[in-house]
Amino acid sequence: MADYVQLRFNLAVAPAGEATASVSNSCSEFRIVTQREGVTVPANGGTGRGSTAAGVINEQLVITLKSGIKAADFLSMLREIILTDDAEMDFTGTFDPGLVSDDNPEFSGTAVLLNVEIGGTVGGLRGQTITCPITEAGIAVSTTP
Amino acid sequence: MNVRSIREALAEALDAEGYRFYDTIPASAQLPCASVLWPETIEYHQDAADGSMITLTVTVAVAVTDFAKAQKDIDAAISWPGFGSQLEALDSAAWDQVVVTSASNIRTMAEPKALAADFNVNVYAP
């Protein structure tokens, strides 16, 4: 059976160096983005054609969250993280809820939290989408539970 | 998310607020009363843990034995704070939050002889 539709996922987050805790019930989007910068290669006399080569790797963690403002809510943790010196948070997650396996790899890493918003529009959900660059260590992928 | 638990928790809470609870308002209802109808919509997959948003209608009816009093009662119910704010203050393990988005369909009923109003409610449930 195909599984194209993103439904439940597991995502756990914590200030860097601490044990992660699940925030799945606060999140509606979990995405890992890997990008390469394009390096322009000028045309040469032989071909007369310019080209683009793959440059440095940039990775990002994207989360859309809804959250209350109580002490135990995800937003309180994010506020705590962004006010630390490095504003780094550890995360680990799978894109399906089952056990970690070849078909359900676990992605983990450390992300830099650059923006946290509190509140929302009257009548709307409190929450936001945050895009966090991954630190130099990059994303680790595990297929063993 | 368990619809039955949500409806039962709402019924229990409304009963505690002094409203006789019915699944649907019968002809011989004891007034004042409230009914929680079946959800109009249930939006699943609101978060990664399968949270849901349930949209439903809560109908409140007050007796019209004294029409002036009935008008005051229904005016009080649809005011804010009023019945809507009472609903939003309800706490239960069955939901995370109750939000009353509007009141509508304020009307007279023949059986039971009552004034009634519908409260349109979003229930956010884990």
Side-chain angles (χ1 to χ4, degrees), chain B residues 40-124:
Chain B
E40 289 150 35
T41 57
I42 302 175
E43 294 182 35
Y44 303 113
H45 307 307
Q46 296 296 293
D47 58 47
D50 279 348
S52 301
M53 184 183 82
I54 300 105
T55 301
L56 50 79
T57 301
V58 178
T59 299
V60 165
V62 297
V64 227
T65 40
D66 176 346
F67 196 74
K69 181 179 182 309
Q71 285 185 84
K72 284 180 187 169
D73 288 346
I74 208 75
D75 283 348
I78 59 177
S79 295
W80 199 277
F83 182 78
S85 58
Q86 282 179 293
L87 272 179
E88 289 192 350
L90 299 178
D91 202 10
S92 168
W95 57 74
D96 288 330
Q97 192 172 7
V98 171
V99 177
V100 180
T101 56
S102 61
S104 59
N105 198 20
I106 297 143
R107 61 199 183 275
T108 55
M109 295 173 68
E111 292 294 338
K113 210 170 171 190
L115 280 180
D118 292 339
F119 290 83
N120 306 300
V121 177
N122 290 341
V123 179
Y124 297 86

Side-chain angles (χ1 to χ4, degrees), chain A residues 32 34 59 91-95 100-102 104-109 137-144:
Chain A
I32 290 171
T34 304
E59 291 175 304
F91 74 93
T92 180
T94 59
F95 290 93
V100 175
S101 68
D102 287 344
N104 189 30
E106 181 180 69
F107 296 80
S108 59
I139 300 281
V141 182
S142 170
T143 56
T144 52

Side-chain angles (χ1 to χ4, degrees), chain A residues 53-138:
Chain A
V56 299
I57 298 172
N58 290 307
E59 291 175 304
Q60 294 173 323
L61 168 69
V62 180
I63 302 171
T64 296
L65 64 105
K66 58 178 184 181
S67 180
I69 54 171
K70 294 180 180 144
D73 287 334
F74 185 24
L75 199 56
S76 297
M77 185 202 294
L78 294 176
R79 282 273 302 163
E80 177 190 339
I81 292 168
I82 201 168
L83 294 174
T84 61
D85 288 348
D86 296 331
E88 290 181 354
M89 62 180 182
D90 291 339
F91 74 93
T92 180
T94 59
F95 290 93
D96 277 322
L99 290 174
V100 175
S101 68
D102 287 344
D103 293 331
N104 189 30
E106 181 180 69
F107 296 80
S108 59
T110 301
V112 181
L113 185 57
L114 299 176
N115 173 267
V116 174
E117 295 174 16
I118 299 175
T121 308
V122 171
L125 289 174
R126 289 173 170 149
Q128 66 171 121
T129 298
I130 54 176
T131 300
C132 309
I134 302 298
T135 59
E136 191 179 3

Side-chain angles (χ1 to χ4, degrees), chain A residues 42-49:
Chain A
N44 61 48
T47 64
R49 289 179 178 168

